[in-house]
Amino acid sequence: MQYTVSVSRNLGVVRERIANAALRSGRDPDDVHLVAVSKMFPCEAVVEAWAEGQRDFGENRPEEGLRKIHKLSDFEGDGFVWHMIGHVQSRKARTVLKHYDFLHSLDRMRLAEKLSRLAVEIECEIPVLLECNVSGEASKYGFDLAEWQEDTRVLEAFEGQVEAILKLPGVQVQGLMTMAPIVDDPNDARPVFVSLRGLRDALKTRFPKVTWKHLSMGMTDDFEVAIEEGATMVRIGRAIFGEYS
Ligand SMILES: *Cc1c(COP(=O)(O)O)cnc(C)c1O
């Protein structure tokens, strides 16, 4: 099937919307990083975005993304930064460490331990975000933090896990990630973004030596609201590359 979406035009529109959302909430547009989610789209789409200066790309399946990364290794351009944004099975931990630059979806203790063990073995480091399920949707991966504001035990238990993760070599925690529920009005997703930011602030107080610089939140349907609430990374697929087929 022919890929006919105008990635360059879409990218221009998305960049402008990101900048406007940042400016109207008193933020510097440069503080919001766009991760172009290329999952399910062909390499030519990635190359078109690359030609427009896009370097950060997100994939949600380690193997599917790896095929694309391999194909693109023949491509002249460089500077690609590959973000793993989807659930990672333990047996794919090595693939992620070796071929991706950033992990948004560290969603459980065991994965952190496995990544750390392998990182020490292959002598590398990976920046990670802790995926937090703050909405309580059962379908979502991530540390279960739906009740963190109501029940202090939930926060304390999570802080215990975070403390353990921060001690693991090879895994550099840089912030939090979440996925908002699918809603008709993006404003309905706002409480989820506010909650993640509040959680980040709580962790910052508890672990002040960690920068907690990133909040990865916001997708095609809700990224402007996420930026208004402090997103430093937005993960956008459809608005750039077209509908998933
Ligand atoms: C697919 C995906 C996105 C992008 O979603 P769009 O609605 O296409 O912008 C963002 N984050 C994750 C984790 C995804 O799997």
Side-chain angles (χ1 to χ4, degrees), residues 37 39 60 85-86 177 179 218-221 235-239 242 244:
V37 178
K39 69 180 186 201
N60 73 331
I85 62 174
M177 178 272 224
M179 289 184 67
M219 313 184 357
T220 289
D221 292 328
R235 311 176 307 268
I236 301 180
R238 286 170 298 142
Y244 304 117

Side-chain angles (χ1 to χ4, degrees), residues 117-148:
R117 232 172 16 248
L118 292 171
V120 169
E121 179 192 315
I122 58 185
E123 295 181 23
C124 69
E125 295 217 316
I126 188 161
V128 303
L129 305 178
L130 308 178
E131 181 171 357
C132 299
N133 179 350
V134 288
S135 70
E137 276 188 295
S139 61
K140 297 269 190 285
Y141 288 108
F143 292 93
D144 181 2
L145 287 150
E147 301 285 315
W148 80 268

Side-chain angles (χ1 to χ4, degrees), residues 70-209:
H70 279 324
K71 267 197 201 161
L72 285 164
S73 60
D74 296 336
F75 173 66
E76 293 288 300
D78 57 9
F80 285 100
V81 178
W82 290 100
H83 298 248
M84 175 42 56
I85 62 174
H87 179 66
V88 176
Q89 294 173 292
S90 292
R91 60 196 172 85
K92 301 290 187 218
R94 188 182 290 271
T95 303
V96 171
L97 270 176
K98 287 173 81 168
H99 300 284
Y100 291 83
D101 304 291
F102 207 101
L103 174 64
H104 291 234
S105 42
L106 181 55
D107 56 8
R108 60 199 190 281
M109 195 64 210
R110 278 181 54 123
L111 180 61
E113 289 164 350
K114 175 110 191 225
L115 283 167
S116 175
R117 232 172 16 248
L118 292 171
V120 169
E121 179 192 315
I122 58 185
E123 295 181 23
C124 69
E125 295 217 316
I126 188 161
V128 303
L129 305 178
L130 308 178
E131 181 171 357
C132 299
N133 179 350
V134 288
S135 70
E137 276 188 295
S139 61
K140 297 269 190 285
Y141 288 108
F143 292 93
D144 181 2
L145 287 150
E147 301 285 315
W148 80 268
Q149 294 177 97
E150 294 81 21
D151 185 346
T152 53
R153 288 169 305 179
V154 173
L155 179 59
E156 280 164 18
F158 183 54
E159 286 175 340
Q161 289 182 304
V162 171
E163 186 167 19
I165 293 171
L166 292 176
K167 288 189 183 131
L168 295 173
V171 175
Q172 312 165 341
V173 177
Q174 298 199 349
L176 305 180
M177 178 272 224
T178 200
M179 289 184 67
I182 296 164
V183 288
D184 288 333
D185 178 353
N187 273 303
D188 293 342
R190 192 180 297 274
V192 168
F193 302 137
V194 171
S195 176
L196 193 74
R197 189 185 63 212
L199 180 60
R200 190 270 317 269
D201 293 345
L203 292 171
K204 212 169 174 170
T205 305
R206 176 75 171 72
F207 304 104
K209 287 191 186 134

